[in-house]
């Protein structure tokens, strides 16, 4: 299903959130799960510590949260440009995060966070520790899982939050260098083993994996060779529903022959047009690409009901750009 919809449509139902290992917050009662996915939103390392794109994107996220309802936000890495944070008292937490995503509708919404390559240029441990400072910042470990159940049904959702920098190595955007190898092979292999164990054991109706680097992308960075080699076979083998990522600064939806949806949402701070790697992705896989450099950014809104996951791409001026659906997994 592909169609444009208005983001002003009010959502009338509620959902229940259960078993989220990253947060001890009490469950709310709802009959669907709704979240935003946003990557590469990390402002600037100098005053005013933000960009017009980040501010506009944050404002529209607040509008969507108020009109459609959201229950959490997936933060897909590159949370603080260009070199992460120094320590837990770094003013970037306030000036790039707390003071920008400040709409009333976002105040009590939990963020589930992973690190990107720019975060790894700083102190990721400090970002993890910030979970004890901010009531909405949830970053319990470099990689972790989230588990949800929709009330009134037995529909379950699992999201595996990965650290693709530890898995594949860091990259240098300014030199155009892509990750070549992990810094610590033991740590990389331990995470990969954890991923496979979780995927193999999962009986969830919707199984999502999220990381910073894309598996597939047609833009500046393109496919991440390490993930294509190591992660992609696991996504296919265990019939993952979708893979969410950032890294390239635009919006993309790619769907492979197995039906796995690749949701790239990297337009939270910059918007860059590039189709440099278009020939590196099978041409019939690309379903949607948006990188209007005059745009003020964008993000993804996801609603999961028992039958399907509905994915909507929204630009910062409020226009719905593209919508698609992924069905509930069968034959588990």
């Amino acid at each position: 299903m592909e169609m444009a919809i208005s983001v002003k449509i009010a959502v009338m139902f509620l959902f229940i959130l259960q078993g989220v290992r990253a947060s001890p917050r009490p469950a709310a009662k709802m009959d669907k799960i709704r979240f935003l996915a946003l990557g590469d939103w990390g402002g600037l390392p100098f005053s005013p510590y933000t960009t017009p794109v980040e501010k506009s994107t944050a404002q529209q996220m607040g509008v969507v949260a108020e009109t459609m309802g959201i229950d959490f936000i997936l933060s897909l890495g590159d949370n603080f440009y260009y070199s992460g944070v120094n320590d837990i008292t770094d003013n970037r937490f306030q000036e790039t995060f707390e003071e920008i995503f400040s709409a009333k509708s976002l105040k009590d919404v939990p963020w589930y966070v992973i690190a990107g390559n720019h975060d790894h240029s700083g102190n990721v441990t400090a970002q993890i520790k910030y979970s004890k400072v901010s009531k909405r910042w949830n970053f319990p470990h470099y990689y972790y899982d989230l588990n949800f159940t929709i009330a009134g049904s037995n529909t379950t959702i699992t999201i595996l939050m990965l650290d693709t920098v530890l898995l594949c190595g860091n990259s240098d955007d300014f030199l155009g260098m892509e990750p070549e190898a992990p810094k610590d092979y033991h740590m990389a292999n331990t995470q990969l083993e954890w991923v496979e164990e979780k995927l193999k054991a999962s009986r969830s109706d919707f199984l999502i994996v999220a990381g910073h680097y894309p598996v597939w992308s047609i833009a500046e960075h393109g496919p991440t060779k390490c993930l294509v080699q190591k992660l992609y076979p696991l996504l296919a083998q265990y019939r993952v529903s979708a893979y969410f990522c950032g890294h390239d600064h635009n919006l993309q939806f790619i769907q492979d022959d197995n039906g796995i949806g690749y949701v790239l949402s990297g337009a939270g701070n910059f918007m860059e047009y590039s189709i440099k790697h278009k020939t590196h992705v099978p041409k019939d896989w690309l379903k949607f690409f948006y990188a209007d450099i005059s745009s003020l950014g964008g993000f993804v809104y996801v609603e999961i009901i028992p039958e399907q996951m509905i994915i909507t791409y929204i630009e910062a001026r409020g226009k719905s750009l593209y919508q698609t659906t992924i069905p509930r997994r069968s034959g588990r």
Side-chain angles (χ1 to χ4, degrees), residues 222-292:
T224 305
K225 293 180 181 179
C226 161
L227 296 181
V228 172
Q229 294 172 355
K230 297 180 179 181
L231 185 61
Y232 178 58
L234 298 179
L235 302 181
Q237 180 179 354
Y238 296 109
R239 296 177 295 103
V240 166
S241 304
Y243 177 82
F244 284 71
C245 69
H247 199 43
D248 271 321
H249 299 158
N250 40 60
L251 302 171
Q252 300 178 49
F253 183 72
I254 293 168
Q255 192 164 36
D256 68 16
D257 292 335
N258 299 301
I260 301 169
Y262 298 87
V263 180
L264 195 153
S265 179
N269 198 63
F270 309 109
M271 182 68 81
E272 298 173 353
Y273 181 89
S274 170
I275 54 172
K276 180 179 178 180
H277 290 89
K278 189 172 183 178
T279 60
H280 293 99
V281 176
K283 63 180 180 179
D284 58 334
W285 288 12
L286 180 66
K287 310 300 181 183
F288 168 73
F289 175 77
Y290 182 81
D292 184 348

Side-chain angles (χ1 to χ4, degrees), residues 8 14 35 87 149 180 280 291 320:
K8 299 297 184 181
L14 302 175
F35 64 91
D87 53 43
T149 300
E180 295 182 353
H280 293 99
S320 175

